[in-house]
Amino acid sequence: MVMVVREIGVVGSGQMGSGIAQLAAVSGFHVVMVDSDENALKKGLQNIHSSIHRAINKGQLSKSVADDALQRLRCSTSLQEFHSTDVVIEAIVENENVKKQVFSELDKVAKSSAILASNTSSISITRLAAATSRPGQVIGMHFMNPPPVMKLLEIVRGAQTSEDAFVTIKGLAHRLGKTVICSQDYPGFIVNRILMPMINEAFYALYTGVATKEDIDTGMKLGTNHPMGPLELADFIGLDICLSILKVLHDGLGDSKYCPCPLLVQYVDAGRLGRKRGIGVYSYSGTPKSNSHL
Ligand code: CAA
């Protein structure tokens, strides 16, 4: 049955989880954001507050709409809070085994009609669904970073995702103000299947001395009208995330064209993970941060 969604759960309070929770609360939904790490939860809530206050100061959001949104948002360290939610969106670390464990726990606590969605950027929805007793109600909702700003939602249908679940999530996406694209469940889906080889190629260009990082980025920014160059974007996404997606593409499609550039691997090994660590391809002065708003 196609469902009218009223309450949304979000697992994970990092950059993506807090951004999704903010978007859902501002869009009029009741939201519960859960993170097992209390400090991460506090930081996620702070991110939401600062992002919302910035929107108020810029005149993009009225104070009363913002206050209502914050009242509809609650936080917890327990997955049990999801007993009444209609849709739960998982946005935790990109690790298949950890995600499977969370899906198996969500399956136990969420009501039987609830849809379990993953914000995974590349891991198989079909395999996550197999960790539950409701594979027809498991689906991919891949938000782009930052979720409150980017217009796209990539919906991924697992091998067993039901038509009702798909239609429900498509309706939800429209209520969140997103334009939907639909991907079948193959490695990297649509966006990362195309984006990550470009980022990887930019690393190869840097690695083999074709050009400086600044010229590679300026080339793509001014030459193809991208808002950020590929190396700058990789820092924004997180070099560890880029590497893990490339490994999924390489393993899942078996083609050497997806082989991660050794320079990217070396940066990740060295802890140069991008903006969130204050250093990646570029150095970011001041406090480590994930983007200019966090
Ligand atoms: N939360 C809320 N709002 C935010 C925000 C955040 N975290 N970050 C930026 N914004 C808003 C700002 O408030 C501002 O809004 P207005 O224009 O209405 O005032 C707008 O976004 C632009 O922000 P800024 O002026 O501060 O900065 P900018 O012009 O440099 O834009 C950017 C920042 C939106 C991030 C832009 O650089 C951009 O679009 N970059 C590319 C981002 C991208 O490609 N994301 C997808 C990555 S791929 C992915 O996510 C998938 C994956 O699986 C890896």
Side-chain angles (χ1 to χ4, degrees):
M1 211 175 66
V2 176
M3 191 200 307
V4 178
V5 179
R6 293 192 177 83
E7 188 175 334
I8 296 178
V10 179
V11 199
S13 60
Q15 200 173 331
M16 296 305 289
S18 63
I20 295 167
Q22 175 191 330
L23 171 69
V26 169
S27 305
F29 294 94
H30 289 272
V31 180
V32 52
M33 180 169 77
V34 169
D35 198 310
S36 55
D37 178 342
E38 202 150 344
N39 285 331
L41 199 56
K42 274 191 197 140
K43 194 166 170 252
L45 193 58
Q46 269 170 17
N47 291 341
I48 293 175
H49 277 269
S50 58
S51 182
I52 281 185
H53 283 120
R54 189 171 189 271
I56 295 173
N57 291 339
K58 286 177 113 182
Q60 293 165 339
L61 205 60
S62 73
K63 175 132 181 17
S64 69
V65 170
D67 287 345
D68 286 351
L70 290 171
Q71 277 199 346
R72 283 190 294 270
L73 172 69
R74 59 184 209 280
C75 294
S76 171
T77 52
S78 167
L79 292 180
Q80 297 293 336
E81 287 292 320
F82 293 138
H83 62 88
S84 58
T85 51
D86 302 305
V87 173
V88 182
I89 305 170
E90 166 277 312
I92 61 165
V93 62
E94 278 295 284
N95 176 308
E96 186 168 328
N97 288 332
V98 179
K99 282 190 195 287
K100 277 181 177 160
Q101 180 61 36
V102 165
F103 269 79
S104 153
E105 286 171 33
L106 290 175
D107 190 34
K108 291 184 194 112
V109 297
K111 61 186 180 185
S112 60
S113 58
I115 294 175
L116 307 181
S118 176
N119 177 55
T120 181
S121 42
S122 60
I123 293 169
S124 163
I125 297 301
T126 306
R127 290 204 296 271
L128 296 180
T132 74
S133 62
R134 57 178 98 188
Q137 290 155 245
V138 176
I139 194 162
M141 285 181 82
H142 183 210
F143 290 84
M144 305 296 128
N145 186 18
V149 178
M150 303 297 284
K151 296 280 171 240
L152 185 77
L153 183 77
E154 183 172 40
I155 297 183
V156 184
R157 300 183 74 150
Q160 299 186 73
T161 305
S162 70
E163 186 62 22
D164 282 351
F166 173 66
V167 173
T168 299
I169 294 303
K170 204 168 159 191
L172 169 60
H174 290 142
R175 288 172 66 198
L176 292 172
K178 300 299 180 198
T179 298
V180 165
I181 57 172
C182 179
S183 174
Q184 297 304 318
D185 188 21
Y186 293 110
F189 316 133
I190 301 170
V191 172
N192 282 324
R193 175 83 177 256
I194 298 165
L195 175 64
M196 288 302 153
M198 182 187 77
I199 286 177
N200 202 34
E201 203 56 37
F203 271 95
Y204 272 114
L206 184 62
Y207 178 59
T208 54
V210 172
T212 62
K213 53 186 182 289
E214 290 84 3
D215 279 2
I216 292 167
D217 277 343
T218 302
M220 295 307 287
K221 268 197 291 198
L222 302 187
T224 62
N225 260 0
H226 290 192
M228 288 175 167
L231 299 169
E232 190 190 356
L233 181 58
D235 272 358
F236 181 70
I237 292 167
L239 300 192
D240 52 338
I241 309 247
C242 294
L243 179 59
S244 93
I245 298 171
L246 278 162
K247 284 180 178 166
V248 168
L249 289 172
H250 194 213
D251 294 347
L253 299 166
D255 191 323
S256 61
K257 74 179 173 185
Y258 302 110
C259 182
C261 174
L263 185 64
L264 170 62
V265 176
Q266 191 182 65
Y267 279 0
V268 173
D269 286 345
R272 292 173 65 156
L273 304 186
R275 283 202 201 187
K276 62 188 167 189
R277 285 288 173 85
I279 183 161
V281 178
Y282 295 92
S283 291
Y284 302 87
S285 55
T287 324
K289 56 189 178 177
S290 49
N291 70 38
S292 57
H293 295 261
L294 303 181

